[in-house]
Amino acid sequence: RPSADPGTPMALRHLARSVARTPMMGVARPFSAKADPGSILGSNDGGFQKDRAFASSGESGREFTYLLLGGTRFVYASAIRLGVIQFVSSMSASKDVLALASAEFGLDEISEGQTITVKWRGKPVFIKRRTPEMIAAEDAVNIAELRDQETDAVRVQNPEWLVVMAICTHLGCVPISGAGDYGGWFCPCHGSHYDGSGRIRKGPAPLNLEIPPYKFEGDSKVILG
């Protein structure tokens, strides 16, 4: 601090005192993570420290962050999984729909050579009980002459019984049983003729009568579907 002798003018003495009292702005101060509100380099606004999301530093704050993010992702994943399960369950067929998907019919009252028409899934189905002569006639057909080439053996599970959809493969009409040039079915809409195996023999229909899924339960019952 500069000394002031009695001979120094009063103004110079006041100037020396002001300089001595002024802090040294050029002196480096050590960095502090928490600034002193009263220091020159710090900030008087302490709200940042008070309102921080993680006031504490170190591993504890990081662990809390990981826990929060992990828990949120688990909740999202659980919600997505629940939504997928509900969607798949809604697409499954209910019990009443499954019951309508199959139908059971008795065969005892159908005599040889007779054809009955039943309903399955809203569509007509022919069930024909064939005689030995009918079976032999269909086995003797030359498949090279057929438009839709199928042997009789691949169209039946039991040669005595023929089960076919009662829908013409041309435009969906219902053929007449026991009519036509081949002793099977005749479609009056456009003149398609089917034989005793449900195979197209003449007319505009491109394919044989369709075979629905079915199975026999014993000798007296057939289940469609």
Side-chain angles (χ1 to χ4, degrees), residues 167-174 187 189-190 192 194 204-206:
I167 300 174
C168 179
T169 57
H170 181 222
L171 292 178
C173 302
V174 177
C187 181
C189 297
H190 299 92
S192 294
Y194 300 89

Side-chain angles (χ1 to χ4, degrees), residues 183-206:
W185 291 270
F186 171 72
C187 181
C189 297
H190 299 92
S192 294
H193 296 254
Y194 300 89
D195 63 16
S197 187
R199 297 172 294 194
I200 181 64
R201 302 296 296 272
K202 186 170 70 174

